[in-house]
Amino acid sequence: ISAMTSKKVHVMVVDDSMVARSMIIRGLSAHPGIEVVGYAINTLDAKLKIPKLNPDVITMDVEMPGLNGVDTARKMRETAPDAVLMFVTNLAQYAIAGYEVNALDFVLKPVNYFSFKLKITRALEAAQKNHGSILQVNTDHGTEYIKATEVWYIEVQSHDLLYHTAHGVLKTSGALKKLEEKLQPEGFFRCNYCYLVNLRHVQYLHGNVVAVGSDELQVSRNRRKDFLLRMTQFYGTGGK
């Protein structure tokens, strides 16, 4: 079994205040489903780093030297249209401007840890909706977090579940039936007793063989018709 890096919701912090920035990063880092991938100290720094870091969530100070956070967010939306944006400000009137750039929420300075924790949980939920749910996988090496959209397929072997992805394989214990019920709304479908396939990663279906990621899996005869129908429905409704 090859090891795989944890896949968490990636958050970037944009704030020119070292005190506020440190407190926000500390609060974010305490959440097991979040990884702080970087920070920016001003708007120019943010414009350079956002496309490279490609964060799922951005916390952005409104009042910074140069362009303010709202103007920076307008530019950001050109390269990061799906990122969840949360403004940090001591000026409540910026809430109105936030609607222009689809800001999810506002955190008022000085930052209150407990209020911030509630708001970042909301931002995490929004990011999960954008990128699929975050799966918690308990392995022999510790707990891993992976986006459901990045899973090629899940295989059952005896009492073990193997999560196959482009990054490697994660091994845990559990029942495939429970996962099937949870993940079916997100585009997963059982092609036979052993495999729960993420339809967004299907390359082709030929006879009773389906290519998923870089692997070829057997489709059982009694499931082939339903599998083909579900795949057609998935892509017909814009599945990706």
Side-chain angles (χ1 to χ4, degrees):
I1 304 298
S2 57
M4 194 186 75
T5 305
S6 298
K7 290 294 176 180
K8 302 183 181 184
V9 172
H10 291 174
V11 182
M12 180 179 177
V13 177
V14 182
D15 202 306
D16 64 324
S17 165
M18 185 176 69
V19 174
R21 197 168 61 239
S22 298
M23 184 171 183
I24 291 169
I25 291 174
R26 189 165 63 249
L28 291 168
S29 300
H31 197 294
I34 287 175
E35 179 182 352
V36 179
V37 293
Y39 65 85
I41 59 174
N42 54 48
T43 54
L44 179 60
D45 194 23
K47 286 195 293 182
L48 292 173
K49 289 181 177 177
I50 287 171
K52 295 178 182 177
L53 296 174
N54 191 28
D56 303 312
V57 177
I58 300 170
T59 72
M60 185 172 295
D61 184 17
V62 171
E63 287 291 296
M64 291 185 292
L67 288 175
N68 64 36
V70 177
D71 291 331
T72 301
R74 289 192 185 101
K75 296 286 186 183
M76 177 206 79
R77 283 296 179 215
E78 297 172 7
T79 55
D82 297 325
V84 175
L85 176 63
M86 194 165 67
F87 280 134
V88 180
T89 178
N90 53 13
L91 301 170
Q93 62 261 36
Y94 273 106
I96 296 173
Y99 288 113
E100 298 176 27
V101 290
N102 194 26
L104 175 75
D105 212 336
F106 286 78
V107 176
L108 290 176
K109 291 183 175 181
V111 177
N112 175 280
Y113 175 76
F114 295 101
S115 173
F116 177 72
K117 185 178 179 182
L118 290 173
K119 289 177 182 288
I120 203 61
T121 298
R122 185 179 172 216
L124 181 62
E125 290 171 352
Q128 289 172 349
K129 288 179 181 177
N130 283 348
H131 302 284
S133 62
I134 303 297
L135 303 177
Q136 178 178 314
V137 185
N138 300 314
T139 74
D140 292 339
H141 306 290
T143 301
E144 303 276 358
Y145 294 88
I146 182 171
K147 295 174 184 177
T149 52
E150 295 185 345
V151 176
W152 287 352
Y153 63 96
I154 302 167
E155 177 184 4
V156 62
Q157 283 187 4
S158 187
H159 298 294
D160 294 327
L161 294 177
L162 305 180
Y163 289 70
H164 294 261
T165 80
H167 307 285
V169 180
L170 288 176
K171 182 180 179 180
T172 187
S173 58
L176 194 60
K177 180 66 177 175
K178 289 184 178 180
L179 273 177
E180 182 180 10
E181 293 170 356
K182 177 182 178 180
L183 294 175
Q184 200 165 32
E186 297 193 41
F188 284 72
F189 198 80
R190 199 91 163 249
C191 70
N192 67 24
Y193 175 79
C194 299
Y195 304 119
L196 181 62
V197 171
N198 188 341
L199 297 173
R200 60 179 47 80
H201 292 295
V202 170
Q203 305 297 321
Y204 61 82
L205 176 64
H206 181 70
N208 290 329
V209 174
V210 59
V212 186
S214 60
D215 298 339
E216 290 188 341
L217 312 176
Q218 287 293 317
V219 181
S220 63
R221 288 185 179 182
N222 62 335
R223 288 181 182 266
R224 188 182 187 281
K225 184 178 178 181
D226 289 339
F227 184 82
L228 184 58
L229 176 62
R230 184 67 187 91
M231 196 167 67
T232 303
Q233 291 171 339
F234 179 75
Y235 284 101
T237 55
K240 58 182 180 179

